Amino acid sequence: MKIQTILVPVDFSDDAHKAIETAKLFAKQFDARIIVLHAYHLDIAVSTPMGGGYPIPQNFYDDLRNHAITQVDKIVKGLTDDGVKAEGSVHADSACLAIIDEAQRIGADLIVMGTRGLTGLKHAFLGSIAERIVRTAPCPVLTVKAEE
């Protein structure tokens, strides 16, 4: 298996940090590049008792995006400081869609991602992002879990 491009979706959790560390080992072993991806999708339904809703100010979305970019840039800088080729990517989309689209767009050879996600009833109804990615990814997926 030749690994040139590794996609690492992050949600800034401990599991995502573990995924970054794991991907870094692969990147150094195979002289591969890492693409750090953060996807945020706000499905906010804010309504009043009379129907209608409250508009969410644009600066809220701008602040969310800017925060995501800042966090992804910090991860990329840490990787490049360790001698790993890395780039960042931030998408205002659902995680599953963004991960699959990005993996196809960049021709990812491997996706390394954390297993942190939904539990209980939410998991039963919505499923796990990691599970969906494993089933639908165009390349192998390695899931990692932070030590507890």
Side-chain angles (χ1 to χ4, degrees), residues 2 9 18-19 21 36 39-40 47 52-53 60-61 81 89 95 104 126:
K2 188 171 184 177
K18 180 70 172 183
E21 292 303 311
V36 179
Y40 62 95
S47 61
F60 174 81
Y61 294 103
D81 287 350
S89 185
Q104 291 171 337
L126 300 175

Side-chain angles (χ1 to χ4, degrees), residues 23-41:
K24 184 169 45 172
L25 295 173
F26 278 92
K28 286 182 175 184
Q29 176 78 28
F30 293 97
D31 191 31
R33 72 181 175 132
I34 294 176
I35 307 299
V36 179
L37 167 72
H38 177 73
Y40 62 95
H41 173 69

